[in-house]
Amino acid sequence: PGARFHNHEWLSQVFIFMLFDQWGSSGLIAFKTSLSLLIAAILFLTLGRQGTDGAWAALFCVIAVAVGINRYEVRPHLFSSLGMVISAHILYGFRDGRLRPLTLLWLPLVFTVWNCLHGTVYGLALLLLFAIGESANLGFAIFSNRRLAMLWGIVLATLLVLLVNPHGLLTYRFFIDLLSGT
């Protein structure tokens, strides 16, 4: 009581309330199941596009769901799982040339919505580590490699649009406090 609280999951709460208000507990269960299946499907598709054999990709998806089963609840964390697989699908598809470079333009939108649904700390880590890894693979030729310049432009645009969240950088206050021990 009396402590300042920054609600970084505000959009999830609105969405989950609307589902419950309209369809009750059955609607929430159907939503959770559908979203969990969508996450597994995107992961399976991404693995397949990376050259993973279908049986191995299916096994990996089953293991991923089993390991994270306690996270597949009607909670904002579920949106982070979705944001992570969508982002990975876009990034790896871009890297391998299976998706058009303009597909990267979806990332700022994905991150903006994801940030309001749960916060994108893990997504930011994925995005930054991916861009750094790609830069290292291409000899840090950011200004001479058009695809790499585009990737870093999207990283910068994504970081800027995250400020659209009503709480801005305070969205990450929880993680900063956690890491600093305060």
Side-chain angles (χ1 to χ4, degrees):
R4 190 173 177 113
F5 174 71
H6 298 286
N7 190 359
H8 65 280
E9 302 169 337
W10 67 272
L11 188 56
S12 293
Q13 294 167 352
V14 170
F15 184 73
I16 291 168
F17 172 77
M18 289 171 50
L19 278 173
F20 181 78
D21 191 48
Q22 186 69 33
W23 292 293
S25 297
S26 297
L28 292 178
I29 292 169
F31 168 72
K32 171 183 78 167
T33 304
S34 299
L35 200 55
S36 299
L37 289 172
L38 178 61
I39 291 165
I42 294 170
L43 180 59
F44 180 80
L45 180 62
T46 303
L47 289 169
R49 286 190 171 172
Q50 293 300 305
T52 305
D53 177 70
W56 284 108
L59 178 62
F60 183 77
C61 289
V62 168
I63 291 170
V65 169
V67 167
I69 199 75
N70 63 338
R71 302 303 258 173
Y72 290 94
E73 300 173 13
V74 182
R75 294 181 59 202
H77 298 87
L78 199 53
F79 294 110
S80 279
S81 296
L82 179 63
M84 192 65 95
V85 296
I86 289 171
S87 299
H89 182 77
I90 292 170
L91 289 168
Y92 285 99
F94 166 77
R95 183 192 73 186
D96 297 337
R98 296 178 195 272
L99 295 176
R100 287 183 266 174
L102 290 179
T103 306
L104 283 179
L105 294 174
W106 283 100
L107 286 176
L109 177 62
V110 168
F111 273 72
T112 299
V113 173
W114 179 5
N115 198 40
C116 296
L117 288 167
H118 187 239
T120 60
V121 170
Y122 299 120
L124 285 173
L126 170 68
L127 183 61
L128 290 171
L129 290 172
F130 183 89
I132 291 167
E134 285 303 294
S135 297
N137 283 338
L138 298 171
F140 293 99
I142 296 170
F143 298 108
S144 61
N145 184 305
R146 187 173 168 202
R147 290 175 58 84
L148 197 53
M150 182 177 186
L151 175 61
W152 277 105
I154 292 296
V155 169
L156 180 60
T158 300
L159 293 173
L160 290 174
V161 299
L162 289 181
L163 296 176
V164 169
N165 185 306
H167 298 287
L169 295 176
L170 294 175
T171 298
Y172 302 100
R173 179 73 188 232
F174 168 78
F175 297 101
I176 294 167
D177 290 347
L178 184 67
L179 293 173
S180 67
T182 57

